[in-house]
Amino acid sequence: YLVHYRQCAMARVVRRLIVIAAIAIMLPCKIRANKKSAALLASSGGGISSNNNDMHKAFFPMAFASSAIPSPPPPPISMPVWSMATPLSLPMASGKSTILSKEKDEVVDTKISETCASFENGYNNLEDNDDEEVLESTSMNIVTFATPVSVAPPKLWAVSLYSNTLTRDAFLRSKVAVLQLLCPSHKHLVPILGKRSGYEQNYSKRNECAKMTMKWLKHGGVAEDDADAFISHEDRIGALKSLDLLPECASYIQVELTGVTNAGDHDIAICEVVRTGVWDKMQSKVVAVVPDNEKEAMSPKDHTTVLYTGQLREEGII
């Protein structure tokens, strides 16, 4: 019995020695593997905790470092292309604005005034007011996006305006504008209206569009006595008296600014819809949407009639 007991004890000792030897062999390999994983993660923008007391992070780096790996950007979404046209009108006094009510307004107005004074084309000196020269025209630019954000009245839209653009500054000042839904025939205007700034001296978007046979039309080409005009008579002699529009757009939406919020390098403008318009091919002008033409004007639009960013990407325009 004593001999049998000694043999069993010796067997248990041998098994323990085998387990200890296996651990001694495998542990350095495991540590080297973890170090290699950590180095790969660090080189790819990831990484693991440097806390040596956290054994879970040391032995399972992928589980804890995966959240630090940057996610790929979302896929580009094809969206309709909108242009904003807004009045540009300010009193001039020796090339500087006379509006000094707020520090921000002073800077913006002075910047616009100096730009207007430097342009030779596209601006009309309409009238004098208390011996002050008044420059009135239109600022036009592609907006990053425009979308409805409400269903029940009042109809509200969100419009994304890139910071430090003349159209953005002019719209925040005038608080009135017209959104123009571009057609595929307008694709060559995108570099003019979207890639160049109205603040550039000796550059006129109006003239460049005219070279592309897309001449801007005063009030959308309406006459003074047009009863079906998109822009009302009150607005033609008031807030929108200097406004020009692009011809042949798929839709026109007159909006008024109700609020603005900052969104990084953009401002999100919340706008209330005043009225909608449509291009009348027979009369070559923008007319208001009324019950007689509402069905045709409000028909669904797709890439065959509306310019989308997907087409601009495919053709290398953006």
Side-chain angles (χ1 to χ4, degrees), residues 36-212:
K36 184 176 181 180
S37 298
L40 290 173
L41 284 170
S43 64
S44 63
I48 62 173
S49 172
S50 60
N51 185 357
N52 293 328
N53 295 326
D54 194 342
M55 295 302 296
H56 287 87
K57 290 185 179 181
F59 278 91
F60 303 100
M62 290 298 294
F64 288 89
S66 59
S67 62
I69 299 176
S71 300
I77 300 175
S78 186
M79 302 175 66
V81 181
W82 292 85
S83 171
M84 172 180 278
T86 188
L88 184 60
S89 174
L90 357 153
M92 302 290 294
S94 301
K96 294 185 178 181
S97 172
T98 58
I99 298 177
L100 305 174
S101 57
K102 295 181 181 179
E103 182 178 353
K104 182 178 180 181
D105 287 343
E106 179 183 353
V107 173
V108 171
D109 291 342
T110 300
K111 191 174 184 181
I112 294 176
S113 300
E114 292 173 349
T115 301
C116 293
S118 69
F119 285 178
E120 296 180 358
N121 299 312
Y123 291 90
N124 300 315
N125 181 11
L126 298 182
E127 61 182 359
D128 290 330
N129 183 16
D130 296 332
D131 298 327
E132 288 184 347
E133 184 182 12
V134 176
L135 292 181
E136 302 202 11
S137 187
T138 298
S139 180
M140 199 177 295
N141 201 38
I142 301 294
V143 300
T144 304
F145 74 81
T147 183
V149 292
S150 70
V151 178
K155 301 287 187 180
L156 299 178
W157 277 55
V159 182
S160 182
L161 305 172
Y162 192 72
S163 302
N164 299 320
T165 59
L166 180 61
T167 301
R168 176 260 185 197
D169 293 343
F171 178 51
L172 296 188
R173 174 182 169 83
S174 70
K175 297 180 173 56
V176 290
V178 171
L179 295 173
Q180 307 167 111
L181 182 56
L182 303 190
C183 295
S185 59
H186 295 105
K187 63 182 181 180
H188 298 299
L189 303 184
V190 172
I192 299 171
L193 299 176
K195 295 185 177 182
R196 301 293 296 267
S197 172
Y199 280 129
E200 294 183 43
Q201 294 191 7
N202 303 318
Y203 182 80
S204 171
K205 292 186 178 183
R206 178 196 305 272
N207 291 346
E208 295 302 316
C209 288
K211 294 176 183 178
M212 298 290 180

Side-chain angles (χ1 to χ4, degrees), residues 221-286:
V222 303
E224 289 297 328
D225 56 349
D226 284 348
D228 59 352
F230 166 57
I231 299 178
S232 67
H233 175 73
E234 291 76 13
D235 286 336
R236 292 202 300 271
I237 63 174
L240 301 178
K241 64 180 179 180
S242 65
L243 190 69
D244 297 322
L245 299 176
L246 286 173
E248 303 176 16
C249 291
S251 183
Y252 301 83
I253 303 177
Q254 182 180 338
V255 296
E256 291 182 355
L257 180 66
T258 63
V260 183
T261 183
N262 179 264
D265 59 356
H266 281 67
D267 286 312
I268 305 301
I270 304 300
C271 309
E272 182 176 348
V273 174
V274 177
R275 64 178 56 88
T276 56
V278 64
W279 179 254
D280 189 316
K281 294 181 180 179
M282 297 296 294
Q283 303 183 71
S284 296
K285 67 178 183 180
V286 184

